[in-house]
Amino acid sequence: MLHHPNAPPMIQASEIAVLKEVVKILKPFEKVSEEMCSEKYVSASKAIPIIICLKQFLEKTDPLHDLAIQLKNSIINEFKKRFEHIQKVHLFNTATFLDPRFKKLHLDDGASLARTVNYIRRSIEENREPEHCPLSITSAADNVDNDDIWETHNKLLLETMRTSQSHSQTSELSLYIAAPLIGLKEDALESWRSYEGVYPQLIQLACKHLLVPASSAPAQRLFSKAGAILTKTRSRILSKRLPKLLFLNSLPTDF
């Protein structure tokens, strides 16, 4: 210190204790960032579970120093300000529900969950191909007399068929909800491919919503790769060839 009078003051033990608590609070954010950036493609279905888990982790931490307490409260307040109504965002809620890793495990907003389930049911009904019904009330009334006892039979049969069709439309969703969750490290889209025969209608909705990225990291990687390919020494590459080179570059090494 005598030779360096302008040197910064030595860190004190109390400051080290504060830094340890700050590191403990910020550590999960580092892990989330690494996970979001290390994966080649992160679906929007991960947004709600990550936010819920981070918030619960922060609420469980119990710092002792004022600076760490202030940091914790500030982060929690920012979470409430930015993500309090994220479950009301239809895209995120539906993507999370259709992800077999999460389903409704983290969807604690009952009203939003009910809207999502109703939306999925309506989508299944709209996308389902109409089944041929051999009987109808009109044809039955036209083909038999009003006094024919089989007219009542035909009406009851038709109602039974309608009930059966309605049950088949909802049973696909019920089977999906009742099925166990898959592991966190498994690929949701790959899992849906194996479910194609079981959930033929749900898989269309799942592919539609799970393809939405959770962040802009994939797009940023794409621009970085384009910059690495289209260098000054390769400036004469045609624009129609650049997408093909990017596609080839995106393929796994063992392809």
Side-chain angles (χ1 to χ4, degrees), residues 222 225-227 229 241-251:
L222 186 63
K225 289 180 180 179
I229 293 174
R241 290 185 179 177
L242 182 59
K244 298 176 182 179
L245 292 172
L246 287 171
F247 170 73
L248 292 174
N249 188 264
S250 66
L251 295 176

Side-chain angles (χ1 to χ4, degrees), residues 152-193:
T152 303
H153 168 79
N154 290 336
K155 290 181 179 180
L156 292 174
L157 178 60
L158 183 60
E159 291 299 322
T160 303
M161 294 179 65
R162 286 175 176 171
T163 304
S164 176
Q165 290 176 6
S166 176
H167 176 70
S168 65
Q169 291 172 358
T170 57
S171 62
E172 186 173 323
L173 179 59
S174 301
L175 285 173
Y176 169 73
I177 294 175
L181 300 177
I182 65 174
L184 274 176
K185 296 187 179 297
E186 295 188 41
D187 190 297
L189 288 173
E190 289 294 333
S191 299
W192 270 108
R193 288 181 182 177

Side-chain angles (χ1 to χ4, degrees), residues 58-59 71-81:
L58 286 172
E59 291 174 348
L71 175 63
K72 171 190 170 181
N73 294 334
S74 298
I75 295 176
I76 291 177
N77 290 334
E78 285 297 320
F79 260 74
K80 291 180 180 179
K81 185 189 302 182

